[in-house]
Amino acid sequence: MLRLTSFSTTDNNISNPLLFQNKVDFENLSRIANCSVEEICNKKSSSILLFPQDWQLGVKKRGIAQPICSLHQKGTGYELNTGNVMGYVGVTNNAGQSTELKISSRFGDTQNDFFLNYMLAKVCNLNVVNLRFSNSKNNFHDLLIFLFPRMLNEALSQGMYKQYEWHNYNDANVKGPIDVKRHIRCNIPFAGKIAYTAREYSYDNNVTELIRHTIEYLRIKVNGSYILNCNTETKENIAKIISATKNYKKSDLQKVLQKNQKQVSHPYFTKYRPLQILCKMILLNKFSSFGCGRNKIYGVLFDGSWLWEEYIAKVFEENKTGINHKTGCDKLFVKDDIGQNQGIIPDFIRYENKPLTALFLGDTKYKHVDTNASYNRENYFQIITYMYRYSCRTGYLIFPYDKNADENQFLRKEFGYERRRIIAGKENYTLEKDSNSSKVIELGLQIPQDSTEFVIFAKKMKDFELKLCLHLKF
């Protein structure tokens, strides 16, 4: 019987590292420890699904390639620390012994990970009110279907996947090698037809059949029907897949999965590979089944900083704040025509006179900014640079706040004469002595810690999001 060990921890677990003693688990996890995500994905034995697909987007913005985890020997056992990466990752050795690691958000409730699920649903343009989500330990498998519409649409944006398929014909228009045995069997006495095979491009292939099986599987799942009809683009792309897969049979599932063991490597259809991996994860249902085999690395990983930034962008958009999610660079020095100096990309901006001045600047931080730790200095220097560049008097550091509502509210720091205490709508502050002073404001979005159902959690989050937006001053 093959061995499987599962561990659960949170991202950035420096203060509460994962401890274990088994040497097999240490050897398995050593294959992914102290390596960047890109290095792991480039290994031949790797089947890792990344979110976002272009992992370098976050790396370029932060300037660091963060590993999934670091691993050290401690006494008679081993200690594992994590970074800003969330998700599932598993490793199987040559003997078939598997070790899986689940990394939840440290800002979520210890009993569930509604926060990660909620952010992911928002970023994937799903209406969280219509979702039903369990609080079981295996709820991570359920959220995989949240990714399906987005990845399907991204893949179809490259066109319908096509590949060469061998087809059998029996007619007078010979366009391939003659199949002698089939010709003798079918065309004696001779009546003008010839049996032959032809290698042709086909839209009905093992990849599109895999997508079709996933669509049919989701129709009967909780949230599945809503996911498949979440927007017009998704419905249109599903119709294209159904139209292309005329040979679909429900009984062919195992055969289709077997044909998809080899990953898509077409130089043009690059976005079909992550979709193929996702479909296999969904269809195999149990995550550990996906890693079956020997000497494999498998999983699905989320960039915590990127996901938090994209989520806040959705919050600003839904509440019609008029704040732009900045994706392109502005010159660090406006009069630098040579273009040799580094560009500048604040996370959020509301221009006053584009690209010279701004009314609002915001930077997201997926960390505990309210801890007053010494590393916050870099956060202040960064936002002050943005404020100076755009002649903006107020800059915001927006971060998750996971303390209970009855605890002391965190300090809202301002460069000027005043200090404020504020949390998602509740504030206690003194009068401003200098209304023209420049201010750096730490603004936290409270994350509910006591919700037993996802619907309740989502309702509280909607309230806190609205209160957060009400505190933004232009």
Side-chain angles (χ1 to χ4, degrees):
M1 182 176 179
L2 298 180
R3 171 185 175 277
L4 171 64
T5 305
S6 297
F7 296 108
S8 296
T9 185
T10 62
D11 63 333
N12 287 272
N13 67 348
I14 305 300
S15 60
N16 187 26
L18 177 65
L19 302 175
F20 61 95
Q21 294 184 323
N22 192 281
K23 188 175 181 181
V24 173
D25 296 322
F26 173 77
E27 292 174 347
N28 281 342
L29 293 176
S30 293
R31 293 172 59 189
I32 62 172
N34 305 313
C35 298
S36 69
V37 173
E38 292 81 2
E39 291 173 338
I40 296 173
C41 290
N42 289 334
K43 295 182 179 181
K44 292 183 179 180
S45 59
S46 175
S47 296
I48 299 286
L49 177 63
L50 300 180
F51 199 81
Q53 294 179 36
D54 186 358
W55 196 267
Q56 285 296 324
L57 286 175
V59 174
K60 290 177 181 177
K61 196 162 189 177
R62 291 188 299 277
I64 54 174
Q66 196 169 42
I68 298 175
C69 61
S70 59
L71 193 59
H72 313 280
Q73 189 164 0
K74 186 174 183 179
T76 59
Y78 309 98
E79 178 180 285
L80 182 143
N81 296 111
T82 56
N84 264 14
V85 180
M86 296 179 284
Y88 259 120
V89 63
V91 183
T92 303
N93 60 18
N94 287 326
Q97 299 170 313
S98 298
T99 304
E100 290 185 355
L101 180 66
K102 177 184 178 182
I103 308 174
S104 303
S105 171
R106 69 189 186 278
F107 294 101
D109 193 321
T110 56
Q111 300 300 319
N112 53 62
D113 201 11
F114 288 157
F115 182 48
L116 172 59
N117 308 326
Y118 183 86
M119 284 197 297
L120 190 59
K122 281 277 192 177
V123 171
C124 291
N125 295 315
L126 301 176
N127 187 346
V128 293
V129 176
N130 296 328
L131 295 176
R132 295 296 178 266
F133 200 87
S134 66
N135 58 353
S136 66
K137 294 182 179 180
N138 295 323
N139 59 17
F140 187 86
H141 307 303
D142 298 333
L143 67 83
L144 288 175
I145 67 173
F146 294 177
L147 300 175
F148 183 75
R150 181 178 179 127
M151 290 194 168
L152 174 69
N153 297 335
E154 288 182 352
L156 268 292
S157 68
Q158 295 182 324
M160 183 70 70
Y161 183 82
K162 60 183 179 180
Q163 66 182 24
Y164 279 115
E165 298 279 335
W166 284 101
H167 293 154
N168 295 326
Y169 292 97
N170 187 32
D171 55 40
N173 303 317
V174 181
K175 51 184 178 180
I178 298 174
D179 188 340
V180 177
K181 290 183 178 180
R182 188 160 57 88
H183 177 71
I184 295 174
R185 185 175 65 251
C186 300
N187 297 318
I188 292 186
F190 181 68
K193 295 182 179 180
I194 297 177
Y196 64 95
T197 58
R199 188 168 180 259
E200 301 173 321
Y201 271 123
S202 174
Y203 293 121
D204 194 357
N205 50 65
N206 60 295
V207 175
T208 52
E209 284 285 342
L210 179 70
I211 300 172
R212 174 67 183 278
H213 277 277
T214 306
I215 292 171
E216 299 303 328
Y217 172 79
L218 291 179
R219 292 188 192 278
I220 60 174
K221 293 293 293 181
V222 176
N223 296 325
S225 179
Y226 167 68
I227 295 293
L228 297 177
N229 295 279
C230 60
N231 56 57
T232 303
E233 183 183 9
T234 301
K235 290 190 288 187
E236 289 177 351
N237 286 330
I238 288 175
K240 291 177 183 178
I241 293 293
I242 293 175
S243 177
T245 52
K246 300 187 185 317
N247 295 324
Y248 165 79
K249 292 182 182 179
K250 185 177 181 179
S251 58
D252 289 342
L253 176 58
Q254 292 302 321
K255 183 168 62 177
V256 171
L257 286 171
Q258 186 64 33
K259 289 182 178 180
N260 278 275
Q261 289 298 314
K262 182 179 180 181
Q263 296 183 6
V264 173
S265 58
H266 197 287
Y268 178 75
F269 295 107
T270 55
K271 294 185 178 180
Y272 275 87
R273 178 176 177 176
L275 177 61
Q276 181 190 36
I277 296 174
L278 177 66
C279 289
K280 288 192 288 184
M281 287 182 178
I282 293 174
L283 290 171
L284 288 167
N285 199 9
K286 293 184 179 179
F287 187 81
S288 58
S289 300
F290 178 69
C292 60
R294 301 178 188 276
N295 196 30
K296 297 290 185 181
I297 301 175
Y298 53 95
V300 54
L301 299 173
F302 304 92
D303 183 336
S305 297
W306 179 90
L307 190 60
W308 172 247
E309 179 182 330
E310 292 292 316
Y311 161 67
I312 293 297
K314 290 294 180 183
V315 171
F316 288 167
E317 179 183 346
E318 290 180 355
N319 288 276
K320 300 179 180 179
T321 59
I323 298 172
N324 298 319
H325 185 200
K326 186 83 170 150
T327 56
C329 289
D330 286 333
K331 293 179 182 179
L332 180 58
F333 301 106
V334 178
K335 296 183 179 180
D336 177 22
D337 296 327
I338 302 177
Q340 294 180 346
N341 293 297
Q342 180 181 356
I344 189 169
I345 315 175
D347 292 340
F348 298 97
I349 188 169
R350 183 168 178 175
Y351 286 104
E352 181 179 28
N353 180 21
K354 187 176 182 179
L356 301 177
T357 60
L359 295 171
F360 173 88
L361 287 170
D363 208 49
T364 53
K365 299 297 177 185
Y366 184 70
K367 59 173 68 173
H368 289 98
V369 173
D370 60 306
T371 56
N372 295 323
S374 59
Y375 60 70
N376 280 344
R377 283 162 42 99
E378 295 183 3
N379 301 332
Y380 303 149
F381 293 160
Q382 182 182 19
I383 194 68
I384 291 171
T385 301
Y386 296 158
M387 294 164 61
Y388 180 80
R389 160 61 178 82
Y390 293 100
S391 300
C392 185
R393 293 188 178 278
T394 307
Y396 288 82
L397 296 175
I398 304 169
F399 67 100
Y401 186 69
D402 59 350
K403 295 181 176 61
N404 294 326
D406 57 348
E407 292 188 15
N408 292 331
Q409 298 169 341
F410 69 87
L411 194 63
R412 171 173 168 166
K413 298 179 181 177
E414 301 187 2
F415 286 80
Y417 291 96
E418 64 162 341
R419 290 174 177 265
R420 296 186 182 183
R421 294 179 180 272
I422 175 173
I423 177 170
K426 301 176 182 179
E427 59 183 333
N428 176 20
Y429 57 89
T430 59
L431 294 175
E432 295 187 16
K433 295 181 180 180
D434 183 1
S435 60
N436 294 321
S437 62
S438 296
K439 306 168 188 175
V440 173
I441 300 175
E442 297 173 359
L443 184 59
L445 174 61
Q446 185 176 340
I447 312 301
Q449 300 295 307
D450 56 354
S451 300
T452 57
E453 300 292 339
F454 182 72
V455 175
I456 299 175
F457 178 90
K459 185 178 183 301
K460 290 182 178 179
M461 285 297 297
K462 292 288 287 184
D463 293 339
F464 292 143
E465 289 167 1
L466 177 59
K467 292 177 181 178
L468 176 84
C469 293
L470 291 177
H471 283 287
L472 303 177
K473 307 297 182 182
F474 304 135

